[in-house]
Amino acid sequence: MTIPFVRSAAAAALLAFAPGLAAQGPSAPDTTTGPDWRDDPVLTAQQFMTPPDEIAEAALAPRWLNVTLSSPNADRTWFLDEVGDGPVGMDTFSKPQHELGGLFIDFQANRDRRLTIRNNAGLDLISATDGRTVSIDVPDGARVSNAEWSPDGSRVAFFAHFDDATHIYVADAASGDSERITSRPVLATMVTSFEWTAGGSAIATVLVPSDRDPMPSPPAVPMGPQVKVTEEGQNALRTYASLMATPHDEDLLEWHATGQLALVSADGGDVTEVGEPAMIRGLDPSPTGEHVIVTRMVRPFSYVVPVSQFGRVEELWDLDGNVLVTLDETELNTGVRDTGDDDEEAEEGPAERRQLAWRADGAGLTFLQQEPAPAETPDEASDEEEERPNRRMDRVMQWEAPFAEGTETVVYETSTRMQSHQFGSDMTTLFITERQGQNVHQYAVFLDDPETKHTLKRWANDDFYARPGSLLTEGGLGASTVRTSADGTAVFYTGVEYDEDPLTNGPRSFVDRVSIRTGDDERIFEGSNDGEYERVTEVIDPDAGIFIVDRESPTEIEQSYRVEGSTRTQLTENVDYTPDLTAAPVERFVVTRPDGFRFRVSVTLPPGYQQGTRLPAMFWFYPREYDDQESYDEGARTYNKNAFPGFGSRSMEYLVRLGYAVVEPDAPIVGPQGRMNDNYEHDLRNNLAAVIDELDAREIIDRRRLGLGGHSYGAFSTVNAMVHTPFFKAGIAGDGNYNRTLTPMAFQSERRWLWEAKDVYLSMSPFMHANNLTGALLMYHGLQDQNVGTHPSHSPRLFHALNGLNKDAAMYNYPFEDHGPATRETILDLWARWTAWLDLHLKDGEGTSRPVTFDDVDGAN
């Protein structure tokens, strides 16, 4: 069967021009002239295609071989790097799977599908001293993920994914030799990771139960209809793409989720089973390995919300599987609105445990807990608020085995509610963050003198430029601890300072040493921002001034260096695989709309571009909502003028290789909070009109040959622009929503429901204005798009309308793809269709390089 395409006999009637264009009186794009694209062999091909070589080379450049040093071991002598090998193939993507309420399971391998399609080819250890590499032995036929250092940094554990199972391997860091420690497969359906115990002797994981029943089979004959009933209350559900529907789905989910919690010896693989099999969705072993916090999924299940909203219970188990205490219970959340006063209910209920975590020293649990509110007498309840006591003590608590209720002890207390708490590495000092309104106070307390607060930093959180950075912490098991100097007298803050004029001065990375008792600070590292950007990625030894620093510039790819005083040792050899694109001319400027609103535009031009040459242009955008000019301008504060240009598999900048200008404008939609979208159509038109006028005045574009595109909300806005303006001759829209009435209970920042703002929902639905489409529209959509609001049905419904309205349109629906293409075949095929589409509609078919079939490409999978 051939994919249907349609062609209009004449352009639809155009809407009124925006003020910036009306005076020039542009003609509408004429899609009735030029080649007849309906029989184009690329656009109508039924098999995967590949684009011109210069596009394919850029899209599949092996950027995954470049390294950013992260995941250091305990003594920061080695870094762990999972080595990729490029986009996954469709043969892997199309493996059989079960789709259960947003959970996709590779049932042949007993794991979450994400572990099957998002993994790597190998593991390397990279020296923090000189950059040399040790390769970890990976078993034949396996893919790897979840690599984790042992607590002492001498070994690495990782998942090895085979076609029919996942196992845990442990490797010696010195030699790279590895061995399998799991005798039976891991059940990685709900718990998709594992955890070392603090001593490094064992790994906590979930295994396939030894006496597991066969997988439930679907009934040969349906037992009844699929049933849903409403609940009492306003059930403001989002439009989820994947939901369970039958009792068989429920049985299948329970079977897939039920696993055996186990501690597996890292030496020899001896297994200690903990408790009975359960629907485990989370685990957190204590540093001692004697207890485990287990999160279980519980019935009832639901047909109206995904698995992520099902009920759960958090329990503390011993190694016999006994539940010592129930820490938390969360009911099934079906979305019914709570009309009560949440704050009042929280205050009257039991005291909440906040920031519950294992203590790093193995001495039980630590958490924050506020003193319960006193019971009110009738007289007290009638008093004025200012006459009632309002100071309740907030406390850092310790809870040790056997975790009996009422055995918690107070470690520290204060009359101000704490936002967070952390211990120093010796567990004798507490570091507290308090926030009252926008005022933040960070201080230290020595536990032998708890009455004295030693201020480290105070700042106003809404003063962006006054933020002091973050306390440097130690990772590992349990709650992270604050790193202190060797003599224990100081802590360290790391962060980035931003200039109020980011177009002139780039950001600057820093490390500060701060005295715990006095708050005096000293800058011990400051990165360059003079035409380059240096950022600290790891602090090796702050006392000795040893850091790992990444350095980049607009023309030099990021490299990692070991910095010791004035000595710098390069540790990576990253490669710029598209130097012509790095060197391509880029113009960045500010455009002013007719209403005075100012916003930013970036234009990438072909290498060797001659000023004054008018080019066909492809716009790529994603509108966002703002209250006013100030809130928009805040988004530019973190702009880094010294950053290396990052490209990915779908970067539109690749089109400069085919002679296009690539225009990436901001598209601010501006209005009062809660009513921004009242101005959506107006602002969308004026944004684009202002950009086109400016580019025309700069003699960059040929305004008769303009394309527009975007993904997700950008796709939605692309089609809106093509039905509300006459500016664009071709459009590309991916994974979009085209009918806002199908998301009637809010979307993006819009919080009004359809019935409260019907005109807004209708005017913002390009489906309702499809008869006004100008130009030719290409749509693509992943058939397993799980993004709320962009169900895969949106594209065929709009295509059906455009087909009936005799408009120019094409649609490509990609099997097994989610909200954005991921497979090698889909990525290349999209570029093939995109370039053919733009060549035909913006260059009248004069493009010189034409795609070939996927099977013709060497090395195709």
Side-chain angles (χ1 to χ4, degrees):
M1 177 180 176
T2 305
I3 299 176
F5 295 89
V6 292
R7 179 176 174 82
S8 63
L14 305 179
L15 297 180
F17 299 152
L21 290 179
Q24 300 180 43
S27 59
D30 183 3
T31 60
T32 64
T33 61
D36 186 347
W37 57 269
R38 289 171 297 178
D39 298 322
D40 183 271
V42 176
L43 295 174
T44 58
Q46 296 290 300
Q47 67 270 34
F48 286 116
M49 305 294 286
T50 60
D53 289 345
E54 57 264 54
I55 298 296
E57 184 271 336
L60 294 185
R63 299 176 187 87
W64 52 85
L65 298 178
N66 289 331
V67 175
T68 297
L69 297 183
S70 59
S71 300
N73 64 350
D75 60 7
R76 301 175 187 86
T77 55
W78 292 89
F79 290 94
L80 180 61
D81 177 45
E82 292 194 19
V83 183
D85 56 355
V88 64
M90 186 59 73
D91 55 343
T92 299
F93 241 58
S94 58
K95 287 190 66 175
Q97 58 190 287
H98 285 153
E99 179 181 346
L100 298 168
L103 181 66
F104 289 79
I105 297 174
D106 177 353
F107 56 83
Q108 291 181 341
N110 291 301
R111 61 178 172 250
D112 189 305
R113 178 176 178 258
R114 290 173 296 180
L115 293 175
T116 295
I117 63 176
R118 297 175 186 171
N119 48 48
N120 288 292
L123 292 171
D124 282 345
L125 305 183
I126 302 172
S127 169
T129 302
D130 56 17
R132 62 191 170 89
T133 299
V134 172
S135 293
I136 297 296
D137 179 30
V138 173
D140 292 341
R143 307 286 297 182
V144 300
S145 73
N146 298 80
E148 293 287 342
W149 287 104
S150 63
D152 66 359
S154 67
R155 295 188 285 185
V156 174
F158 59 92
F159 273 155
H161 302 296
F162 300 90
D163 286 342
D164 60 353
T166 290
H167 284 280
I168 298 175
Y169 280 67
V170 172
D172 177 71
S175 66
D177 295 338
S178 67
E179 63 176 353
R180 193 177 91 181
I181 66 167
T182 47
S183 58
R184 68 179 191 258
V186 173
L187 183 73
T189 52
M190 299 288 284
V191 179
T192 57
S193 61
F194 55 82
E195 298 286 344
W196 285 92
T197 56
S201 62
I203 290 174
T205 188
V206 179
L207 302 175
V208 173
S210 56
D211 55 352
R212 195 185 199 190
D213 292 332
M215 184 168 64
S217 299
V221 177
M223 303 301 293
Q226 296 183 5
V227 177
K228 292 182 181 180
V229 295
T230 61
E231 296 182 66
E232 183 180 358
Q234 290 184 310
N235 204 346
L237 289 172
R238 307 187 76 179
T239 50
Y240 299 107
S242 172
L243 296 171
M244 299 203 302
T246 67
H248 172 66
D249 288 345
E250 297 186 63
D251 294 341
L252 200 57
L253 174 63
E254 183 167 2
W255 186 85
H256 280 306
T258 301
Q260 177 63 59
L261 177 61
L263 292 178
V264 182
S265 170
D267 295 298
D270 291 340
V271 174
T272 301
E273 294 190 350
V274 181
E276 297 297 320
M279 289 189 291
I280 300 172
R281 63 178 303 160
L283 59 90
D284 183 9
S286 68
T288 63
E290 297 175 352
H291 301 88
V292 185
I293 295 175
V294 177
T295 304
R296 295 187 296 110
M297 182 169 66
V298 295
R299 285 181 178 261
F301 298 155
S302 172
Y303 299 156
V304 299
V305 292
V307 169
S308 60
Q309 294 183 214
F310 289 4
R312 64 187 69 118
V313 176
E314 188 177 56
E315 299 166 332
L316 181 56
W317 292 10
D318 64 18
L319 294 190
D320 292 324
N322 298 313
V323 178
L324 303 182
V325 64
T326 297
L327 298 171
D328 189 34
E329 293 185 71
T330 304
E331 295 183 354
L332 169 69
N333 178 12
T334 56
V336 176
R337 283 188 169 182
D338 184 357
T339 57
D341 185 335
D342 293 339
D343 293 335
E344 183 177 336
E345 290 178 3
E347 189 158 309
E348 291 179 354
E352 175 193 7
R353 299 186 188 99
R354 309 179 337 260
Q355 284 197 319
L356 181 77
W358 294 112
R359 284 175 54 119
D361 60 354
L365 293 161
T366 181
F367 59 90
L368 298 177
Q369 189 173 51
Q370 192 165 32
E371 183 181 21
E376 292 181 341
T377 66
D379 290 341
E380 288 175 328
S382 62
D383 287 343
E384 293 295 327
E385 182 66 28
E386 60 267 21
E387 296 177 2
R388 296 168 52 195
N390 57 8
R391 291 289 189 181
R392 292 186 288 141
M393 302 304 289
D394 202 18
R395 294 162 174 159
V396 177
M397 307 294 291
Q398 182 179 2
W399 198 9
E400 296 187 79
F403 303 103
E405 293 284 358
T407 62
E408 305 93 331
T409 59
V410 178
V411 176
Y412 171 72
E413 63 182 0
T414 177
S415 60
T416 306
R417 185 177 172 91
M418 291 174 278
Q419 185 178 47
S420 66
H421 77 296
Q422 291 174 298
F423 285 91
S425 55
D426 63 1
M427 307 301 291
T428 64
T429 311
L430 266 173
F431 296 90
I432 305 296
T433 303
E434 296 176 353
R435 177 173 171 176
Q436 293 182 302
Q438 292 295 331
N439 297 316
V440 182
H441 182 203
Q442 208 160 51
Y443 61 90
V445 173
F446 294 99
L447 294 181
D448 60 0
D449 180 21
E451 300 301 318
T452 305
K453 296 180 179 181
H454 300 275
T455 295
L456 300 171
K457 297 287 182 180
R458 289 183 184 271
W459 71 94
N461 197 59
D462 56 356
D463 185 351
F464 176 79
Y465 301 102
R467 296 175 185 176
S470 302
L471 274 169
L472 183 64
T473 60
E474 305 269 10
L477 298 164
S480 64
T481 58
V482 174
R483 285 178 68 177
T484 58
S485 59
D487 60 9
T489 64
V491 291
F492 304 92
Y493 280 77
T494 64
V496 178
E497 289 180 344
Y498 294 95
D499 194 87
E500 294 188 23
D501 184 5
L503 294 177
T504 301
N505 299 307
R508 189 189 298 273
S509 176
F510 67 86
V511 180
D512 288 343
R513 176 189 175 103
V514 179
S515 170
I516 297 175
R517 292 190 179 275
T518 68
D520 294 339
D521 59 7
E522 172 192 3
R523 181 140 301 179
I524 61 174
F525 177 85
E526 187 169 79
S528 170
N529 70 346
D530 184 13
E532 60 191 18
Y533 177 55
E534 294 180 328
R535 65 186 178 96
V536 176
T537 58
E538 184 62 37
V539 178
I540 302 295
D541 186 342
D543 292 296
I546 305 174
F547 310 96
I548 302 298
V549 174
D550 280 5
R551 180 185 180 279
E552 63 185 297
S553 77
T555 57
E556 296 177 347
I557 194 168
E558 179 182 281
Q559 304 286 2
S560 295
Y561 297 83
R562 180 185 179 93
V563 176
E564 298 183 60
S566 60
T567 302
R568 295 191 171 215
T569 304
Q570 185 170 332
L571 303 178
T572 60
E573 295 290 344
N574 294 331
V575 176
D576 180 2
Y577 291 100
T578 52
D580 63 314
L581 297 176
T582 301
V586 178
E587 295 193 13
R588 296 183 178 92
F589 47 86
V590 173
V591 167
T592 303
R593 291 192 321 212
D595 61 2
F597 199 93
R598 303 177 307 280
F599 61 96
R600 297 174 295 276
V601 179
S602 175
V603 182
T604 306
L605 299 164
Y609 173 76
Q610 297 297 312
Q611 191 66 38
T613 304
R614 293 186 178 273
L615 301 173
M618 181 62 186
F619 286 55
W620 195 260
F621 79 142
Y622 190 103
R624 301 182 188 277
E625 297 87 1
Y626 301 93
D627 294 347
D628 50 29
Q629 183 76 60
E630 181 180 2
S631 64
Y632 169 80
D633 290 341
E634 288 177 354
R637 296 181 302 192
T638 58
Y639 171 70
N640 185 356
K641 65 188 289 285
N642 296 322
F644 181 78
F647 299 117
S649 61
R650 288 184 287 134
S651 296
M652 283 296 136
E653 288 90 341
Y654 302 156
L655 289 174
V656 302
R657 286 185 167 182
L658 301 183
Y660 294 91
V662 176
V663 183
E664 296 171 284
D666 286 352
I669 308 299
V670 186
Q673 186 64 237
R675 303 190 65 88
M676 291 99 149
N677 284 325
D678 290 355
N679 299 322
Y680 175 83
E681 183 182 334
H682 170 273
D683 286 354
L684 181 70
R685 181 190 302 113
N686 280 357
N687 289 332
L688 293 168
V691 175
I692 293 170
D693 281 349
E694 180 65 24
L695 294 173
D696 184 51
R698 291 172 178 250
E699 299 182 335
I700 292 175
I701 62 167
D702 179 349
R703 65 191 308 156
R704 299 167 303 171
R705 296 187 293 166
L706 303 181
L708 177 68
H711 187 82
S712 191
Y713 203 67
F716 160 77
S717 295
T718 291
V719 184
N720 260 310
M722 294 182 71
V723 300
H724 291 306
T725 77
F727 308 147
F728 300 99
K729 195 174 182 182
I732 297 174
D735 290 346
N737 177 314
Y738 308 115
N739 187 344
R740 291 268 64 119
T741 69
L742 300 181
T743 53
M745 297 176 185
F747 60 91
Q748 294 291 105
S749 65
E750 179 60 65
R751 290 297 171 263
R752 293 168 295 180
W753 290 6
L754 166 65
W755 302 277
E756 301 171 87
K758 188 176 296 183
D759 290 344
V760 170
Y761 275 72
L762 293 177
S763 68
M764 291 182 69
S765 297
F767 183 88
M768 303 299 177
H769 310 278
N771 58 306
N772 292 328
L773 182 80
T774 61
L777 178 64
L778 181 154
M779 292 180 286
Y780 64 92
H781 219 122
L783 288 174
Q784 284 189 353
D785 187 350
Q786 295 299 295
N787 185 56
V788 291
T790 59
H791 191 277
S793 62
H794 277 276
S795 291
R797 294 303 181 191
L798 180 58
F799 180 85
H800 179 77
L802 296 175
N803 194 13
L805 292 165
N806 194 30
K807 299 293 183 179
D808 289 343
M811 180 180 66
Y812 305 96
N813 292 328
Y814 288 94
F816 305 108
E817 296 282 6
D818 195 348
H819 192 66
T823 65
R824 182 177 188 269
E825 291 89 337
T826 299
I827 291 166
L828 291 178
D829 188 81
L830 277 172
W831 275 112
R833 316 283 179 167
W834 292 348
T835 54
W837 190 255
L838 297 178
D839 277 354
L840 285 165
H841 293 289
L842 302 188
K843 291 184 177 180
D844 297 329
E846 295 175 359
T848 56
S849 298
R850 297 314 307 273
V852 296
T853 63
F854 193 85
D855 292 336
D856 292 337
V857 178
D858 291 339
N861 294 326

